[in-house]
Amino acid sequence: MTLLLEQCDGHCWGVDGRAGPNLACEGCGRAVATRIDDCGRWQTVWLEPDAVLRRPSVLPPAPPPDWDDLAHAEHRVPPVDPDGSWNRRWETAVGVALAHLVAVTEGRPVVLPSGPVTDLLGHAVGRYLPTGPDARTVGLAGPGIGTPRPDVLLVPRHPVTGTPWRPPADDADVVPLDNGVWAFLAHPDETSPLPASGLLPDGVLRDDYPLPPRPWRPLTPDDYAFEYTLVRLPAIRTPRLRRYHDGHRP
């Protein structure tokens, strides 16, 4: 494919697809896809459905990795970028997960588990769900860690198939999380990404250089990801969630 330069409108550092398809077939010149690579956006190419045909490759498709292959710490995505800002993948993934959490709880209060889940997601959950009695408990579950017994389970979404992990007892409410985000919560770093007060105990020597990045504000989920996910979930048709959606102001 080659770029259609007259269709390459965008912002400061790339094209954003606002002018329509901007990639054409080198052979016939027909517009077949739209490339997006502007700053602040994930790089992607969207193919025009009526301009392309799917053909099988000469190699058989490889099976997707098993859950056990994805339950390792090296799959985790750090929540904070080197410049100290929150990772955009985290902001988007948390927005999507919160829409599912609102749906399964019908907008009722929840109690998060202590540790990384509360440290990193507590502020975000507080923006979308109220506090009060009769709160539902939330726990982290998935391959490689024990299955807790809370009301709602935060589970990883398979990075290839998109299928959420299911516990052995398939009767629990699950909230799917981006696999890299889930892996970080399940296997956190040695130190927290959030600032902490106090000093190291006597006799402990550390030489952290460069210093780990520290965000200047709590993690705020992407409101657009939250909204677009919530309105597409079947639960939005219930009267309670319709009232939540109509009256919610993050």
Side-chain angles (χ1 to χ4, degrees), residues 230-245:
L230 183 62
V231 299
R232 285 163 175 77
L233 294 176
I236 196 63
R237 301 187 182 97
T238 63
R240 184 182 180 92
L241 274 186
R242 288 302 307 174
R243 290 194 300 269
Y244 170 93
H245 176 267

Side-chain angles (χ1 to χ4, degrees), residues 45-134:
V45 171
W46 294 94
L47 299 173
E48 292 294 309
D50 59 347
V52 295
L53 295 175
R54 175 180 289 185
R55 299 292 190 194
S57 65
V58 295
L59 299 175
D66 187 77
W67 280 115
D68 291 337
D69 298 328
L70 302 171
H72 304 296
E74 59 264 25
H75 292 282
R76 64 189 177 195
V77 175
V80 183
D81 286 337
D83 63 357
S85 63
W86 289 105
N87 183 276
R88 290 182 180 273
R89 179 170 167 180
W90 267 73
E91 292 177 330
T92 304
V94 171
V96 172
L98 282 175
H100 286 272
L101 183 61
V102 167
V104 300
T105 62
E106 295 186 314
R108 293 181 172 89
V110 298
V111 176
L112 299 178
S114 60
V117 175
T118 294
D119 294 342
L120 290 167
L121 306 185
H123 173 78
V125 170
R127 284 169 52 90
Y128 291 92
L129 290 174
T131 58
D134 301 324

Side-chain angles (χ1 to χ4, degrees), residues 25-238:
C25 170
E26 276 191 331
C28 67
R30 182 181 183 183
V32 293
T34 302
R35 175 175 174 81
I36 299 173
D37 61 11
D38 198 8
C39 63
R41 296 172 180 262
W42 287 336
Q43 293 193 20
T44 183
V45 171
W46 294 94
L47 299 173
E48 292 294 309
D50 59 347
V52 295
L53 295 175
R54 175 180 289 185
R55 299 292 190 194
S57 65
V58 295
L59 299 175
D66 187 77
W67 280 115
D68 291 337
D69 298 328
L70 302 171
H72 304 296
E74 59 264 25
H75 292 282
R76 64 189 177 195
V77 175
V80 183
D81 286 337
D83 63 357
S85 63
W86 289 105
N87 183 276
R88 290 182 180 273
R89 179 170 167 180
W90 267 73
E91 292 177 330
T92 304
V94 171
V96 172
L98 282 175
H100 286 272
L101 183 61
V102 167
V104 300
T105 62
E106 295 186 314
R108 293 181 172 89
V110 298
V111 176
L112 299 178
S114 60
V117 175
T118 294
D119 294 342
L120 290 167
L121 306 185
H123 173 78
V125 170
R127 284 169 52 90
Y128 291 92
L129 290 174
T131 58
D134 301 324
R136 301 189 69 187
T137 56
V138 178
L140 197 66
I145 64 175
T147 303
R149 300 302 302 172
D151 301 316
V152 181
L153 301 179
L154 298 176
V155 302
R157 189 190 297 273
H158 198 284
V160 177
T161 65
T163 304
W165 181 86
R166 296 295 309 188
D170 200 24
D171 57 350
D173 288 326
V174 299
V175 170
L177 263 176
D178 175 277
N179 181 66
V181 173
W182 178 89
F184 187 92
L185 295 174
H187 308 283
D189 281 339
E190 180 185 358
T191 57
S192 170
L194 300 178
S197 60
L199 301 175
L200 290 172
D202 293 338
V204 176
L205 300 178
R206 295 291 297 270
D207 185 17
D208 289 338
Y209 184 81
L211 293 175
R214 303 294 190 190
W216 60 271
R217 59 174 176 81
L219 174 61
T220 302
D222 188 292
D223 286 332
Y224 291 106
F226 173 84
E227 172 74 13
Y228 292 159
T229 303
L230 183 62
V231 299
R232 285 163 175 77
L233 294 176
I236 196 63
R237 301 187 182 97
T238 63

